[in-house]
Amino acid sequence: MSGHSHKLALPKFLSFLKNRPTKENGLVSWLTTVDHKRIGILYLYTSFFFLFVGGIEALFVRSQLSANDLEIFVGSTYNQLVTMHATTMIFLAIMPLAAAFFNFMIPLQIGARDVAFPRLNAFSYFMYLAGGIVLNASWFMGGASDAGWFAYAPLTSATYSPTHGVDFWILGLILTGISSTVAAINFIVTIINMRAPGMTLMKMPVFSWMAFVTAFLLAFALPVITIALIILFMDRNYGTTFFQTAAGGDPILWQHLFWVFGHPEVYIIVLPAFGIVSEIIPVFSRKPLFGYKLVVLSGAAIGFMGFTVWSHHMFTVGMGPIVNSAFSITTAAIAIPTGVKIFNWILTLWNGKIKFSVPMMYSTALVFLFMVGGFSGLMHGAAASDFQQHDTYFVVAHFHYTILGGGLFGFLAGTVYWLPKFFGKIMDEERGRKIFWWIFISFNLTFFPMHFLGTSGMPRRIYTYSSDMEWTALNGFITLASFVLGIALLVFFIEVIKAVKSKNKASADPWDARTLEWSIPSPPPVYNFADLPKIEKIDEFWESKVSNKPIKTLPRDPHGIHMPGKSWMPLITSIGLLIASFGAVYESDLRYIGLGIFLLAYYGWALEGEAEYYLPYPKKGKK
Amino acid sequence: MFLDFILSPQNWLDPAGPVASDQKDLFLFTLYLCIGIFVIVGGFMLYSILKFKAKPGDEELPDQSHDGTQLEIGLMVVSAILVAVIAVPNVKLLYKLAEPPRGSNPLQVNVIGHQYWWEFEIPEYQIATANEFKIPIGRPIEFNVSSVDVIHSFWVPRLGGKVDAVPGRDNYLWFQADQEGWYSGQCAELCGSSHAKMKFEVHAVNDEEFLAWVEKEAAPAEQPITELAKEGKELFLTKMCVTCHAVKGYDGAIGITGPNLSHFGSRRKLAGMWVENTKDNLEDWLGDPASFKPDNIMALQGPMYIDDKFALTRDEIEKLAAYLKELY
């Protein structure tokens, strides 16, 4: 342990704070961890869990729709399922899945030992978990929100949603919002400051680039929704009237605030997946990514343009032809940078020597599925005909093709691809292929027919329909397919866990890959890089393999390997805010207790001692 | 069987008027264009996948080139052109659909969304009705759409796209029916528990039939004839139905929370267009409206459904139903 950190003169009764937790194993080590890899694993498992929860909700929804006039989940119950399915999938499953990869991979890809703010990183995870708990607690405490995931005012007002469901929903999303905002800032600072020497931004791996863009989207979009949620909470509980027409408020204001967040959110989901695919396709084509600069720039352009299209969710609100035309055109324009990505992926395949391992199967599937979703998006962008498609199953088909086809498929690819790095184990190739085909086919059988339900006039979010609408047969078919998809996904995750528990040890670089994370053992040691790399080229690791020269490294620090210290404070601050959230829903004194815990832990955070420690270096030549 | 959906009364690819027809044309134009590009780009990708599959054991590296600025710029220009090709007809149609053709003398109809039913007013003829109304064919109908509670969305797929019914706002929409017939419509914005049950129907008829209907709707309600119905009329007052429902010519029955029932007997369907307007269905509805439409206001707030003192007996339900059926 070194002595060059500042010693704080703590009052005696606080002296226990001097010693940071140091447990390396067991529950305590996970609760106090600040290791980005462990936090990544926590994100991964937690998002798998919520993917399961959201999937069950989806299958409940599909059961109710499997035939006309069913009464399994009726009215409000059905609306709660729909609302929570979307909220869970977006905020608790897909976004955190991206966060899992960000956490684990960014430091490894840029040659760093951890993120810039390790304790803040742990705090992000615990806030996400707290948000998930608050959101889902509503099921057991008087019912979840039934106002839909975009929660249009005034349906969310105390008049039309008198239960606490919406309050739980608001607070849950505020907590996950804090989680994502903090994480975004953490990743931005990490990427700006902690890249290995020589790795200029234009030599950074594409996945880290897309994470970088996504982090900016998060940092700009999430405060908007967080503020809107706070306003909504005040409308419901403290008598303000921002969204209440009768008192001079405007419900459409909510829609603008929501979608200014909500559309960038789509890119928050798909850009990380695009980043993963942009890593995988070159590796398995054994070629560099075609047009690296344009892929990066188009990602940034998509992120920027994502903020200019929000009102295409509101074409039917009555904005008039001028506004509708403007947003039609900005929407269609996003097709240009998106097209660039697709062309570059295909041109990377061109002339390659393609190996169809499981990650590559998911990646190429993503390109196809995202094209389907992208084209239906282009069609939605034509406002004049979108007046028909809007709020029908055509949209439901569209966003499942983009969010699952363009998002989840990328994360499945990433799971298989990076599993060796996460756990040092590799998935069974044969079974992986079979599972892929089951998922791919059942996905299309579930969501493609929804286009036809849309053109035949079935609105989204209706809990039932009568037989004379002629939607029964197709809905029955879709439900059947959705159960196959559900089971196939479940089998996928069982297979992941089986692989983790198995003895299929993975080598450091099982795919013959290109980026730095593969230059260190699987799984990486706690300090990631014993010797920090010096970068000269894009894909330095690949170049070093081709030229058969080791990557240059920085001289060793005489103190040892610099490591961040563990801490209880991220967990305790999060518990404080979790308790405060329940207090806020019920307007009870728990609020003050929770905030008190938060504040105390916050001081503890500032005061606790020895922020870092040093590990001895391993022997040279031994990885 | 799986193609049944084509026969749906809400299939907007089977348009029955100029607005829906224009929208279908634009939809198909963008669809065919998109399918075209998908086939080319997707085909190119599929070809690359099949053609450049690595042969087993071939460990040699392929050509490592990874740049083609001119190619990239070319592809971007092509994409931009395609985007413009869609934008032009779209913007044209947006402006065309913004208001009815000049000089066409549209019929004005006010549409007011309620949880969970639609109110229709034709001010020109002083008509107020619910969930079913008639329009003349061949004449543009201009709707002024609003809501008294939450946001709904007014949509008759075979006649034209939708517009939201927003409290505190007046939105406009027009369409025209070219063929006689019943056109099914439905709320398209989640509005609460019974969103699914917020259906309505537009009956397009010839001018004669329309004027006959207008005359009948504008007239006061019929007086009950049978004994049962007469007693039902009394109950309509004593059970406080009048607080929420209006019946033209019935003093005191001027409520506006629920549908105007002046000519209820002539309606085809009830309970959000879910069942035929028969005596049995009407009695079932009066007995337990929540089983048809969860959380509807009558079931949530009507004294006869929340207070045992006012609960309707079997006998009273029969009388009320008899009265309502005679409101022809």
Side-chain angles (χ1 to χ4, degrees):
Chain A
M1 305 277 153
S2 90
H4 78 114
S5 65
H6 289 284
K7 284 273 194 263
L8 280 163
L10 285 173
K12 217 171 195 167
F13 70 98
L14 286 177
S15 57
F16 68 91
L17 281 174
K18 260 192 213 158
N19 300 319
R20 294 258 198 130
T22 52
K23 270 229 155 93
E24 299 289 340
N25 295 304
L27 184 64
V28 171
S29 72
W30 285 90
L31 295 177
T32 58
T33 188
V34 294
D35 180 350
H36 71 99
K37 298 181 289 301
R38 284 191 155 198
I39 293 168
I41 289 169
L42 287 172
Y43 265 108
L44 191 72
Y45 277 140
T46 315
S47 52
F48 282 178
F49 170 75
F50 282 117
L51 200 63
F52 180 75
V53 174
I56 297 285
E57 284 157 358
L59 294 182
F60 282 175
V61 165
R62 281 316 317 173
S63 309
Q64 164 62 21
L65 293 177
S66 58
N68 55 280
D69 294 294
L70 289 184
E71 301 216 345
I72 310 171
F73 303 104
V74 171
S76 172
T77 314
Y78 179 86
N79 292 350
Q80 290 174 39
L81 284 170
V82 169
T83 305
M84 288 300 283
H85 163 65
T87 308
T88 303
M89 285 306 198
I90 291 169
F91 294 97
L92 305 179
I94 301 281
M95 277 171 81
L97 209 45
F101 294 120
F102 289 174
N103 261 294
F104 206 100
M105 291 306 155
I106 291 173
L108 300 185
Q109 285 204 325
I110 65 173
R113 292 230 169 94
D114 208 311
V115 293
F117 307 117
R119 284 183 295 174
L120 218 48
N121 201 21
F123 175 71
S124 291
Y125 169 73
F126 288 122
M127 286 306 281
Y128 150 54
L129 186 61
I133 290 171
V134 171
L135 275 169
N136 284 285
S138 59
W139 284 119
F140 310 101
M141 302 175 86
S145 168
D146 61 356
W149 91 274
F150 41 79
Y152 276 1
L155 187 58
T156 47
S157 68
T159 317
Y160 301 109
S161 290
T163 70
H164 279 306
V166 175
D167 296 319
F168 278 111
W169 184 82
I170 291 171
L171 284 155
L173 289 193
I174 289 177
L175 295 185
T176 58
I178 294 172
S179 160
S180 301
T181 313
V182 166
I185 292 165
N186 208 344
F187 293 134
I188 290 171
V189 176
T190 303
I191 288 173
I192 290 179
N193 285 324
M194 298 178 67
R195 276 168 289 126
M199 183 184 276
T200 58
L201 280 176
M202 292 315 280
K203 285 179 189 158
M204 193 163 70
V206 182
F207 174 71
S208 290
W209 245 112
M210 291 305 109
F212 193 44
V213 175
T214 305
F216 275 104
L217 292 184
L218 285 165
F220 287 118
L222 276 165
V224 182
I225 185 72
T226 304
I227 288 166
L229 289 166
I230 292 170
I231 294 175
L232 178 61
F233 195 78
M234 296 201 300
D235 263 18
R236 285 178 57 82
N237 295 295
Y238 306 132
T240 60
T241 55
F242 288 94
F243 306 127
Q244 312 309 321
T245 319
D250 186 0
I252 303 303
L253 172 64
W254 167 268
Q255 298 192 13
H256 283 293
L257 290 173
F258 186 86
W259 290 118
V260 166
F261 147 79
H263 199 83
E265 171 67 26
V266 176
Y267 297 106
I268 288 169
I269 290 170
V270 298
L271 283 181
F274 286 2
I276 294 172
V277 168
S278 303
E279 297 286 335
I280 291 173
I281 289 180
V283 167
F284 291 91
S285 306
R286 297 172 58 76
K287 271 179 68 193
L289 182 64
F290 192 90
Y292 166 89
K293 279 183 189 154
L294 265 176
V295 172
V296 167
L297 286 176
S298 64
I302 290 172
F304 183 78
M305 293 165 84
F307 279 97
T308 66
V309 301
W310 76 90
S311 282
H312 70 209
H313 297 268
M314 301 162 57
F315 280 150
T316 64
V317 152
M319 297 183 298
I322 300 174
V323 176
N324 281 350
S325 301
F327 280 96
S328 270
I329 291 167
T330 54
T331 301
I334 291 198
I336 300 169
T338 311
V340 168
K341 291 212 173 248
I342 289 171
F343 295 140
N344 280 299
W345 289 328
I346 298 175
L347 289 168
T348 306
L349 296 170
W350 189 258
N351 259 338
K353 289 187 178 169
I354 305 168
K355 249 185 92 189
F356 266 95
S357 294
V358 180
M360 188 64 166
M361 295 171 88
Y362 283 104
S363 299
T364 42
L366 176 139
V367 182
F368 274 113
L369 299 177
F370 191 78
M371 270 202 276
V372 176
F375 283 127
S376 61
L378 204 58
M379 296 174 69
H380 281 298
S385 50
D386 180 63
F387 295 148
Q388 289 283 19
Q389 293 138 260
H390 186 88
D391 269 333
T392 66
Y393 265 78
F394 202 89
V395 186
V396 179
H398 159 70
F399 64 68
H400 281 96
Y401 266 91
T402 50
I403 293 179
L404 294 192
L408 185 67
F409 270 73
F411 299 127
L412 297 181
T415 304
V416 183
Y417 178 63
W418 278 317
L419 202 72
K421 222 23 82 175
F422 268 93
F423 300 104
K425 305 287 170 59
I426 199 156
M427 264 172 86
D428 184 84
E429 180 83 14
E430 267 318 297
R431 276 202 298 278
R433 281 164 194 277
K434 273 190 202 137
I435 296 168
F436 165 81
W437 283 112
W438 279 97
I439 292 178
F440 181 76
I441 292 169
S442 60
F443 171 87
N444 283 294
L445 293 179
T446 302
F447 294 107
F448 202 79
M450 289 187 185
H451 292 108
F452 303 123
L453 284 179
T455 60
S456 56
M458 181 165 167
R460 62 195 284 200
R461 295 168 161 178
I462 53 172
Y463 77 82
T464 191
Y465 49 90
S466 57
S467 60
D468 55 350
M469 289 292 127
E470 309 289 355
W471 302 325
T472 309
L474 206 52
N475 268 303
F477 177 81
I478 289 171
T479 300
L480 206 67
S482 73
F483 272 86
V484 178
L485 176 61
I487 293 166
L489 281 169
L490 187 65
V491 172
F492 177 91
F493 290 111
I494 291 173
E495 193 61 31
V496 169
I497 291 163
K498 264 168 67 184
V500 172
K501 301 246 176 241
S502 76
K503 288 180 181 132
N504 299 339
K505 277 220 164 64
S507 66
D509 179 24
W511 313 114
D512 194 10
R514 317 181 68 85
T515 40
L516 279 181
E517 74 267 30
W518 303 103
S519 69
I520 53 176
S522 303
V526 61
Y527 44 77
N528 298 350
F529 297 88
D531 296 291
L532 290 172
K534 264 165 89 174
I535 304 300
E536 281 161 4
K537 292 182 178 137
I538 301 179
D539 295 342
E540 182 79 28
F541 176 55
W542 172 263
E543 301 290 342
S544 84
K545 285 192 289 187
V546 172
S547 64
N548 215 357
K549 282 183 202 146
I551 302 174
K552 293 198 182 103
T553 55
L554 292 185
R556 290 183 164 184
D557 181 341
H559 295 106
I561 302 175
H562 184 192
M563 298 296 296
K566 294 171 188 281
S567 174
W568 282 104
M569 298 308 155
L571 175 65
I572 302 173
T573 43
S574 306
I575 289 173
L577 289 179
L578 175 67
I579 293 171
S581 300
F582 281 101
V585 170
Y586 291 104
E587 299 195 35
S588 79
D589 289 344
L590 271 180
R591 283 182 279 194
Y592 309 115
I593 297 170
L595 283 176
I597 295 173
F598 169 76
L599 276 177
L600 286 175
Y602 188 65
Y603 272 97
W605 188 313
L607 296 176
E608 66 182 342
E610 292 290 351
E612 64 249 303
Y613 63 98
Y614 289 86
L615 287 175
Y617 277 99
K619 283 206 180 90
K620 275 247 181 190
K622 230 183 113 189
K623 282 206 170 162
Chain B
M1 182 173 79
F2 293 123
L3 292 177
D4 285 351
F5 65 88
I6 293 169
L7 303 172
S8 173
Q10 294 188 178
N11 177 4
W12 44 269
L13 293 179
D14 177 21
V19 173
S21 181
D22 281 345
Q23 287 169 330
K24 176 195 172 184
D25 291 345
L26 179 64
F27 175 83
L28 291 180
F29 171 72
T30 53
L31 176 68
Y32 294 147
L33 196 68
C34 287
I35 290 177
I37 309 167
F38 181 78
V39 168
I40 295 169
V41 179
F44 187 58
M45 176 161 168
L46 205 61
Y47 174 80
S48 320
I49 288 175
L50 298 174
K51 165 114 207 246
F52 299 110
K53 220 169 163 179
K55 291 175 188 67
D58 179 4
E59 290 301 320
E60 212 176 311
L61 283 182
D63 176 19
Q64 297 289 298
S65 64
H66 56 273
D67 249 333
T69 314
Q70 278 169 335
L71 179 63
E72 302 250 22
I73 292 172
L75 287 169
M76 275 196 277
V77 170
V78 172
S79 315
I81 291 170
L82 287 168
V83 165
V85 165
I86 294 177
V88 172
N90 171 40
V91 171
K92 263 186 165 166
L93 188 57
L94 273 173
Y95 277 87
K96 182 179 171 190
L97 298 185
E99 23 190 88
R102 285 217 182 131
S104 59
N105 182 30
L107 177 73
Q108 303 290 329
V109 176
N110 297 336
V111 176
I112 303 152
H114 296 255
Q115 277 182 327
Y116 301 99
W117 59 283
W118 293 96
E119 184 176 2
F120 299 107
E121 294 173 351
I122 308 181
E124 191 178 333
Y125 301 103
Q126 297 192 319
I127 292 172
T129 184
N131 290 357
E132 289 176 23
F133 68 113
K134 296 192 200 302
I135 56 168
I137 53 168
R139 180 177 172 191
I141 317 294
E142 189 170 34
F143 297 94
N144 175 356
V145 182
S146 67
S147 164
V148 296
D149 38 49
V150 300
I151 298 176
H152 306 275
S153 194
F154 175 73
W155 185 33
V156 190
R158 292 191 58 208
L159 297 179
K162 57 187 77 65
V163 74
D164 293 353
V166 183
R169 285 198 179 207
D170 289 314
N171 277 338
Y172 295 88
L173 178 82
W174 75 275
F175 57 60
Q176 174 181 318
D178 287 339
Q179 305 153 23
E180 291 188 28
W182 287 89
Y183 296 104
S184 174
Q186 182 159 14
C187 177
E189 185 62 77
L190 179 68
C191 58
S193 303
S194 282
H195 168 52
K197 301 279 174 95
M198 213 175 139
K199 289 158 67 68
F200 60 97
E201 276 180 24
V202 181
H203 190 194
V205 294
N206 58 39
D207 282 355
E208 243 169 81
E209 211 177 315
F210 176 70
L211 287 173
W213 175 76
V214 159
E215 202 176 325
K216 198 170 72 83
E217 282 288 315
E222 307 272 344
Q223 291 301 323
I225 301 165
T226 61
E227 252 342 280
L228 214 56
K230 281 179 185 160
E231 286 178 48
K233 187 179 174 184
E234 286 306 310
L235 284 169
F236 196 71
L237 181 72
T238 56
K239 288 290 174 183
M240 293 194 285
C241 307
V242 294
T243 335
C244 295
H245 294 284
V247 175
K248 228 181 236 179
Y250 188 158
D251 281 348
I254 49 168
I256 53 164
T257 308
N260 184 314
L261 298 177
S262 303
H263 302 281
F264 176 82
S266 66
R267 290 194 198 144
R268 274 217 312 174
K269 293 184 178 175
L270 60 90
M273 313 304 290
W274 214 259
V275 291
E276 300 294 316
N277 185 3
T278 62
K279 177 171 160 291
D280 288 348
N281 285 335
L282 180 56
E283 287 175 2
D284 288 348
W285 161 260
L286 288 171
D288 185 8
S291 71
F292 290 84
K293 273 193 201 179
D295 296 339
N296 76 77
I297 290 178
M298 183 158 84
L300 284 181
Q301 295 175 6
M304 61 295 269
Y305 299 111
I306 56 174
D307 189 337
D308 285 344
K309 271 194 306 218
F310 297 97
L312 296 172
T313 62
R314 196 67 237 157
D315 188 43
E316 288 168 336
I317 289 174
E318 251 173 66
K319 288 172 183 165
L320 272 171
Y323 171 60
L324 291 171
K325 289 297 281 180
E326 288 190 20
L327 289 174
Y328 212 72

